[in-house]
Amino acid sequence: MMNRMWSVSALVSYIKRGIDHDENLMQLLVRGEISNLVKHRSGHYYFTLKDDKARMSCVMFSNYARLVRFDLENGSRVIAQCKVSVYEAGGSVQLYVNGLQPDGIGEMYLQLEALKKKMMSEGYFDPAHKKKLTMYPMDIALISAKEAAAASDVRTTIARRWPLAKITFYPSLVQGSEAAAMLIETIKKADQKHHDVILLVRGGGSIEDLWAFNQEALAKCIYDAATPIVTGVGHETDTTLVDYVSDARAATPTAAAELVTPDIQEVSDQLQRYKKMMADRLKMLLDRSTHRLDKVKSHPYIKNPMAYIENSMMSLDLKRNAFETYIHGMMNLHSDVEQKRIRFAHAGRLMVQKMENQLWQQNDKLLMHTKRYGLDSERELRGRIQLLDAYSPLKILLRGYSLTKINGHCIKSIDDVQVNDRIVTTLSDGEIYSNVLKKEKKHE
């Protein structure tokens, strides 16, 4: 590994991969002072973030830079939300910033981030807990500041989109140290009225202005509510703690009103389409039923109901005559069958008796032939035993002869053995084992 030759680009890419995969460097909050700020015509910001001991190059792309809500200039002390990576073309480590806030509220952001992590780990942000919104809400609760522009925007939007809904307004403080407690009390009061949905809205502002909506007690109150709650707090870029626990979150109060209400014109158009579909369907069913009715009305039995009765009576008479004929035939057949059964039973008894006599005769013959065959077989067996005994080699051995074998074969000639062969001689009372010492052929 030490002797490996690196190109500059390969080494920079290797370092970049290591930094990009370090989870500790993916999402940071860094406090520092802005210097060397360049606001490029493309909308990107390039600057240096420094403190009294070090500095780092930073880039903030235009899609994040346009969300900055304060005047950014050299010397501004900020809290940067960022990640660390490597700019390969320059071979430099720099911060990629996706959010900036003045340093004076940095502690509030740190506190909010810690609270968000805590509540997330406890399951308060679980999507499975979120309640489904009513498609056509007729009773809407609105919680906002009294005479606030946000409440007015919500009323106007609902009146335009869904004027059928009833709006119940619950005024409450939405800013200041007492706002969170009053919001909790108001939400509980509205929740007891069983509205279809509760809208919790407020216009935009700084993090301090929206801080009441980042209170843990208020978030838990929204989580525990039985009524679906939709939040529309601040502007599009503002996200508070209550947005994570509510059943739905909208970017603005107006968007919240649009989220919970259908467009009455769209609903009307949909109803007209359903009305036409139902009319077409009913017409089709009516035409089909009319056709079936005309078909039934043209049936001969409808025109002359007596014809059906007369045909039925005629058919019944024919079936009755056929049934009587059948019954009469069955009675005759039963009589014939009974007579035949008596004749067959008598003939059967005679046949069985005849067969029994034949079987006894055959049995007597079989016993006589079996006994005769046994005597003849026994006589023949005795004769053969005597003949076999007469020709038995053992009889010959008793007269002084012997039988000599080698390897189980009888020796008939001296050519069948060799010197030193082992031979077995069988006598009438046993066997002799010996070796051939010499053989001498008989001369004629």
Side-chain angles (χ1 to χ4, degrees), residues 275-293:
K275 179 179 178 182
K276 185 178 182 305
M277 289 172 57
M278 292 177 63
D280 293 342
R281 178 66 176 170
L282 288 173
K283 184 178 182 303
M284 182 183 68
L285 292 175
L286 179 61
D287 292 343
R288 186 182 300 171
S289 300
T290 301
H291 176 71
R292 292 176 60 187
L293 179 60

Side-chain angles (χ1 to χ4, degrees), residues 38 86 120 149 168 175 193 211 228 230 235 318 335-336 415 440:
V38 176
V86 175
M120 179 180 290
T168 303
Q175 183 176 336
K193 301 297 183 179
W211 195 246
V230 176
H235 298 303
L318 292 174
S335 177
D336 293 340
D415 295 332
E440 182 175 346

Side-chain angles (χ1 to χ4, degrees), residues 406-420:
I406 182 172
N407 297 327
H409 300 287
C410 291
I411 300 173
K412 299 179 180 180
S413 170
I414 66 172
D415 295 332
D416 293 340
V417 296
Q418 301 294 331
V419 175
N420 294 327

Side-chain angles (χ1 to χ4, degrees), residues 290-303:
T290 301
H291 176 71
R292 292 176 60 187
L293 179 60
D294 292 340
K295 187 176 180 180
V296 171
K297 288 166 61 178
S298 63
H299 196 278
Y301 291 154
I302 298 298
K303 295 180 177 180

